[in-house]
Amino acid sequence: MMRILVLGAAAGGGVPQWNCNCGICRDARQGGNGIGRSAQASVAVSADGDNWFLINASPDLRQQVTDNPQLHPRHGLRHSPIAGVILTNGDVDAIAGLLTLREGSPFTLYAHDNVLGILRANSIFNVLSPVHVKRQPIQLETPFALTLPDGRPSGLDVTAFAVPGKVPLYLEGGEPNPDAVDTVGLLVENGDSRFYFIAACADVTPDLARRLSGAPMVFFDGTLWQDDEMIKGGLGAKTGRRMAHLSMAGAQGSIESFRPIEVGRKIYLHINNSNPAWNPDSPERHQLAQAGWEILPDGTEISL
Ligand code: MLT
Ligand code: MN
Ligand code: ZN
């Protein structure tokens, strides 16, 4: 058995984004058109309901902890149910929340060594003292057990695998490294319960389709509806492809790519505020729902 808590479904910036005056961000501020606010993408997972592991540490982490009683301190004067954090990439929206966790509670940080290297190279992350925060490198395709700060097993096992991605925006322009593992997907398991978490992904390759076939549940990159929607909306110059995010719509999009793959629940996250599917009454939302996809409000808990 596992409990999975959706801490945020939005892409970088969130919904609403601080400086965005687009229709969706305006509605989210004012409660219009049934568009709820959403924090930047992250989920928490627990096998026992007492100890929780975050998948990614979003810039909204402080608010996400405050908003979700599952993550509140329970014992003594200083305590947190957060036993660990697993990072899937080094983007700002995946790591900035680590700075919120600097107050001296013990937890383990799991990430591929490329991402740990980014943290090592940015000394601000030294606020996570090695006395309290163990940094554990993830080997690809090698299942590992998530452990509690006192060394006991959490009941959760994780397998990381590389997915098509790119270096974080703030590292673009350096020497390209074709061997770099920039983005990983995760399989999280407890006995017969399992789910996949893939918050950034540029392509559903045949390998990935095979891997996901028969999965009871998948969280998947839902950044854009259409590759050029930020350009068309006057919000930015980048396509989804340029950002290494597969769009929902279109022949190559995630809706079509997942059609032949047998997956129990398909849940979008890392959804950008430019994506019209945020509107529950939009044709785009109906289209994705008809294809079996869900967008979940922050704070939704799933038992698996
Ligand atoms: C992304 O998801 O592509 C990044 O969060 C973009 C960014 O860093 O602005
Ligand atoms: Mn992002
Ligand atoms: Zn916006």
Side-chain angles (χ1 to χ4, degrees):
M1 219 286 267
M2 272 194 276
R3 291 167 65 180
I4 300 151
L5 175 63
V6 177
L7 297 175
V15 178
Q17 176 176 311
W18 72 284
N19 65 344
C20 191
N21 207 15
C22 78
I24 287 167
C25 288
R26 266 205 315 271
D27 279 340
R29 275 183 204 102
Q30 293 159 6
N33 285 318
I35 296 175
R37 298 178 185 180
S38 185
Q40 294 166 83
S42 175
V43 307
V45 54
S46 176
D48 59 11
D50 289 327
N51 299 282
W52 291 81
F53 291 81
L54 307 181
I55 303 183
N56 291 336
S58 101
D60 298 317
L61 184 53
R62 179 186 162 279
Q63 195 60 42
Q64 290 166 320
V65 170
T66 302
D67 289 346
N68 290 280
Q70 297 93 326
L71 303 182
H72 292 179
R74 281 187 212 131
H75 315 291
L77 274 178
R78 286 289 168 94
H79 168 259
S80 170
I82 298 174
V85 180
I86 313 149
L87 302 176
T88 63
N89 60 70
D91 285 359
V92 171
D93 51 0
I95 66 172
L98 291 174
L99 301 176
T100 297
L101 300 177
R102 71 187 183 282
E103 312 290 356
S105 278
F107 67 94
T108 306
L109 184 54
Y110 302 88
H112 189 275
D113 199 51
N114 283 352
V115 174
L116 291 181
I118 294 172
L119 303 184
R120 280 194 298 273
N122 287 275
S123 59
I124 193 169
F125 291 104
N126 294 346
V127 295
L128 299 176
S129 150
V131 175
H132 304 294
V133 182
K134 197 169 120 203
R135 300 186 186 191
Q136 189 157 315
I138 291 176
Q139 313 294 330
L140 297 182
E141 308 292 352
T142 310
F144 59 97
L146 299 177
T147 52
L148 304 181
D150 63 8
R152 284 180 301 134
S154 71
L156 298 169
D157 296 302
V158 174
T159 309
F161 49 92
V163 295
K166 72 162 184 65
V167 293
L169 183 63
Y170 59 88
L171 292 177
E172 284 186 4
E175 282 299 303
N177 175 1
D179 298 326
V181 177
D182 298 306
T183 309
V184 300
L186 303 174
L187 165 64
V188 183
E189 298 177 277
N190 174 24
D192 290 336
S193 306
R194 65 200 170 101
F195 72 95
Y196 285 88
F197 180 97
I198 305 170
C201 185
D203 186 21
V204 179
T205 61
D207 266 3
L208 181 57
R210 260 193 302 278
R211 189 189 292 271
L212 300 181
S213 174
M217 192 164 101
V218 176
F219 289 93
F220 194 78
D221 186 345
T223 307
L224 302 181
W225 175 255
Q226 238 166 3
D227 199 50
D228 60 356
E229 81 193 19
M230 289 176 58
I231 300 170
K232 281 204 178 126
L235 295 168
K238 284 185 186 174
T239 62
R241 213 169 278 125
R242 166 68 183 79
M243 299 187 291
H245 292 296
L246 189 62
S247 301
M248 294 178 175
Q252 257 84 56
S254 52
I255 292 176
E256 284 310 314
S257 301
F258 271 78
R259 237 182 252 287
I261 312 173
E262 202 188 309
V263 171
R265 282 183 81 169
K266 295 175 286 194
I267 302 165
Y268 277 126
L269 88 183
H270 194 277
I271 306 160
N272 197 49
N273 53 65
S274 58
N275 192 324
W278 276 117
N279 185 336
D281 297 321
S282 62
E284 292 84 358
R285 181 66 154 267
H286 288 299
Q287 202 175 318
L288 71 82
Q290 260 172 6
W293 286 88
E294 301 172 72
I295 294 176
L296 299 177
D298 292 8
T300 304
E301 193 184 301
I302 299 167
S303 288
L304 191 68

